[in-house]
Amino acid sequence: MASVLIFFSFYLMLFSTSFTTINGVFSDQSPMEISIKRMEKLTHLHFYFHDILDGTNPSAIRIVGPPKKSVSGFGSTFMIDDPLTEGPEASSKLVGRAQGMYALASQHDLGLLMVINYAFLEGMYNGSALSILGRNPALDTVREMPIVGGSGVFRYARGYALAKTVWFSPKSGNAVVEYNVSVLHF
């Protein structure tokens, strides 16, 4: 009886730690659920986004324009590599870059689709990034956009960014936007 119990225990241990292949070699899945408990951190970030469309060194360029009959600019798409700074002045300390694109995605108001990575260059966040994917109702005083992921110290990040326009030039389209970001990450 003891030998049957030992054999059964060995059999159970051997097959409970093996991996099952699903869909060929594309993915492996363990039949055991492994739970790693880590403490999530809540990080608050505060920085300024400088969107410069004019001059000799613009940080945002239009890559797609609207149809000629469009009055609203609907469909205009911009690729950006905007500086993120500690303060609202362009000369303020550079803490990162906003890299990605935004597009005028609404026919009825100034609703932007934001697809942007905030790549940080300073301090403990150097080399890390946060990803935003969401709607930016640009004429609202304060806009909330979702943080949908990240890399580096922000791996598995989720949270939100609050944006508030500090300065805007209707003639050039240049803007400075204050960001307050709250993000949960490991």
Side-chain angles (χ1 to χ4, degrees), residues 40 43 45 47 99 114-120 127-134 145-161 181-186:
E40 283 188 318
T43 298
L45 300 168
F47 53 85
Q99 299 170 328
M114 308 290 280
V115 183
I116 298 175
N117 288 313
Y118 294 124
F120 296 101
S128 298
L130 289 172
S131 298
I132 285 188
L133 172 62
M145 291 168 279
I147 303 293
V148 297
S151 63
V153 297
F154 295 121
R155 189 173 294 133
Y156 296 112
R158 65 189 190 285
Y160 64 95
V181 177
S182 296
V183 61
L184 284 170
H185 58 97
F186 291 114

Side-chain angles (χ1 to χ4, degrees), residues 47-52 59-60 80-85 87-88 97-99 102 114 116-118 136 143 163-164 166-167 175-179:
F47 53 85
Y48 293 84
F49 171 104
H50 299 263
D51 198 39
I52 310 302
S59 62
I80 66 166
D81 184 11
D82 290 341
L84 302 176
T85 62
R97 309 285 309 178
Q99 299 170 328
Y102 61 83
M114 308 290 280
I116 298 175
N117 288 313
Y118 294 124
N136 178 355
R143 290 93 63 196
K164 181 179 179 183
V166 174
W167 176 81
V176 176
V177 180
E178 179 180 20
Y179 273 85

Side-chain angles (χ1 to χ4, degrees), residues 17-63:
T17 60
S18 66
F19 290 93
T20 306
T21 302
I22 299 173
N23 298 328
V25 295
F26 175 68
S27 67
D28 290 329
Q29 189 176 52
S30 172
M32 291 176 37
E33 185 172 323
I34 300 172
S35 174
I36 300 174
K37 293 191 179 211
R38 296 188 198 179
M39 288 288 287
E40 283 188 318
K41 299 174 207 153
L42 176 61
T43 298
H44 297 283
L45 300 168
H46 180 252
F47 53 85
Y48 293 84
F49 171 104
H50 299 263
D51 198 39
I52 310 302
L53 288 105
D54 70 349
T56 58
N57 192 23
S59 62
I61 59 168
R62 183 176 8 207
I63 57 173

Side-chain angles (χ1 to χ4, degrees), residues 84 94-97 99 118-128:
L84 302 176
L94 183 71
V95 296
R97 309 285 309 178
Q99 299 170 328
Y118 294 124
F120 296 101
L121 305 169
E122 185 59 36
M124 67 183 288
Y125 306 119
N126 184 18
S128 298

